[in-house]
Amino acid sequence: MRVLITAASSRLSRELSAALSRDNDVLLTDRSEVPTDQRFVSCDLGHDRATNDLVRGMDAIVHSIESVPGASAATRLDVAMRCTYNLLTAARSAGVGRFVNLSTLRLLDDYPENLTVTENWRPTPGVEPVILSAHLCEFVCREFGREGGIKIANLRLGFPIVEGDTSAAASSGETAALAGDDLATAINAALIADLGARSQSTDAPQSVSFRTIHVQSPIPNGRFLLKRAASILGLWEGQGAA
């Protein structure tokens, strides 16, 4: 599968590129040049030919809005909204079949830990640029999902993301931790899962091609339920009770 991964300047995207490259033909991109040994094309994700050329021939896109540390609020919001819109517009026009958006479970961090928070709960983003950007990026993706033409998996990632496997996440002592190995497993599953045009959003009566899925490691006393990860991605069935 030919997979484009955005935000190549972020550690997350570089590690995902290494993991996904084992079974896929991966191309990294970012809005400015990034020194890397992996295949890379610079693109500012404008509404132009460069973005169209970037996505042409891709089977799927893994989209992250992680920016260079210290990026301004304006830059973060621009990437989350305008650049995501341009990328999705180009992808749908080019016939890219799958878009995996990497969001965060920090959107639900304000809820008490004793509550069983599922994908149907409303996010509480506040005004912190990093979290608000993730929320607005989800909004853009959801609207494209309403219109159809591209299947979108919106993965809300656990925190912190720790290096290693599930046992490393369990050892972190964090109830929402996500191991790097588990993240790679989830993304590989999202690239091929039957998201289906029959999927229903909670606030739209029509069928849509957009699913939000909580992804944290299946650790004892995990904070977020993983039932949708089990039913849609086929992962961790019977695990992840809050």
Side-chain angles (χ1 to χ4, degrees), residues 33-143:
E33 291 293 333
V34 174
T36 176
D37 294 332
Q38 298 168 305
R39 284 209 309 137
F40 173 84
V41 172
S42 176
C43 181
D44 64 7
L45 299 182
H47 186 55
D48 54 21
R49 180 175 178 178
T51 305
N52 295 339
D53 291 343
L54 177 70
V55 304
R56 186 174 296 115
M58 291 294 161
D59 299 304
I61 296 172
V62 177
H63 182 48
S64 170
I65 61 170
E66 284 203 11
S67 302
V68 177
S72 68
T75 296
R76 293 183 184 278
L77 293 171
D78 184 56
V79 172
M81 295 184 290
R82 183 184 64 86
C83 292
T84 300
Y85 177 89
N86 292 339
L87 183 62
L88 275 164
T89 298
R92 187 167 60 184
S93 296
V96 178
R98 185 68 51 110
F99 192 93
V100 179
N101 182 56
L102 303 184
S103 185
T104 176
L105 280 166
R106 290 190 183 275
L107 288 168
L108 304 166
D109 196 25
D110 283 348
Y111 288 111
E113 289 204 31
N114 64 311
L115 298 180
T116 305
V117 180
T118 72
E119 288 87 347
N120 292 329
W121 289 53
R122 289 188 179 277
T124 57
V127 296
E128 181 186 352
V130 173
I131 309 303
L132 180 59
S133 296
H135 178 60
L136 294 172
C137 185
E138 284 194 8
F139 187 86
V140 173
C141 292
R142 187 179 67 200
E143 292 307 303

Side-chain angles (χ1 to χ4, degrees), residues 139-225:
F139 187 86
V140 173
C141 292
R142 187 179 67 200
E143 292 307 303
F144 271 82
R146 285 172 177 265
E147 296 176 4
I150 185 170
K151 294 182 178 179
I152 302 173
N154 180 51
L155 304 187
R156 289 185 182 150
L157 308 185
F159 57 90
I161 298 176
V162 299
E163 186 175 352
D165 58 13
T166 303
S167 62
S171 299
S172 71
E174 300 286 346
T175 59
L178 173 60
D181 290 356
D182 291 333
L183 171 57
T185 297
I187 292 177
N188 271 312
L191 289 173
I192 61 174
D194 181 13
L195 301 175
R198 298 183 302 277
S199 312
Q200 295 291 320
S201 80
T202 59
D203 57 356
Q206 69 271 30
S207 295
V208 297
S209 299
F210 174 86
R211 297 305 299 264
T212 290
I213 304 168
H214 290 176
V215 176
Q216 72 158 101
S217 289
I219 57 179
N221 300 314
R223 181 172 177 182
F224 298 96
L225 292 181

